[in-house]
Amino acid sequence: MIDENQKAKADAGKPKLSLVPSEIIRNIAVIREYGNKKYNSPNNWKTVEKERYIDAFYRHWLAYIDGETLDKESGLPHIWHAACNLAFICEMEKGVGNVE
């Protein structure tokens, strides 16, 4: 039997994306805009090996842990760069370990 709530909107079992803090999405967007200007391509990130994003994530994360707030090249926060690199890694790993 279909739950009464599912008759109006069938969203049972789907991720509740409103639980994701929105600031990280804004931060990643800023980094993506910077990358698009630097590399002149919105999809070039898809041609890069995952290991390079892992290395970049570590560099930005360790700089952040060591107290360096802003990336010297971009002037943007290391933590934003780390989040963007992690987002690329997650996208490349899409389908691995999906929770149902």
Side-chain angles (χ1 to χ4, degrees):
M1 173 173 240
I2 296 176
D3 181 332
E4 286 299 313
N5 288 328
Q6 290 301 302
K7 287 182 181 178
K9 176 75 176 116
D11 56 5
K14 295 179 182 174
K16 190 169 171 91
L17 298 176
S18 61
L19 294 174
V20 177
S22 59
E23 190 62 20
I24 194 169
I25 297 168
R26 289 184 189 92
N27 299 159
I28 292 171
V30 171
I31 297 300
R32 293 289 292 124
E33 289 172 1
Y34 169 78
N36 286 343
K37 287 178 189 170
K38 181 178 177 180
Y39 298 109
N40 200 28
S41 173
N43 291 314
N44 73 319
W45 70 270
K46 295 176 182 179
T47 66
V48 177
E49 302 84 11
K50 181 176 69 173
E51 291 74 21
R52 293 178 66 190
Y53 289 118
I54 293 170
D55 289 340
F57 168 78
Y58 274 126
R59 285 193 299 272
H60 288 291
W61 181 243
L62 292 175
Y64 173 77
I65 288 173
D66 290 343
E68 187 177 317
T69 306
L70 301 178
D71 176 66
K72 288 177 178 76
E73 181 183 343
S74 69
L76 298 169
H78 280 293
I79 196 74
W80 296 9
H81 281 283
C84 188
N85 282 293
L86 192 55
F88 289 154
I89 295 164
C90 287
E91 186 67 18
M92 291 173 162
E93 297 256 336
K94 191 173 11 182
V96 176
N98 276 344
V99 178
E100 295 187 27

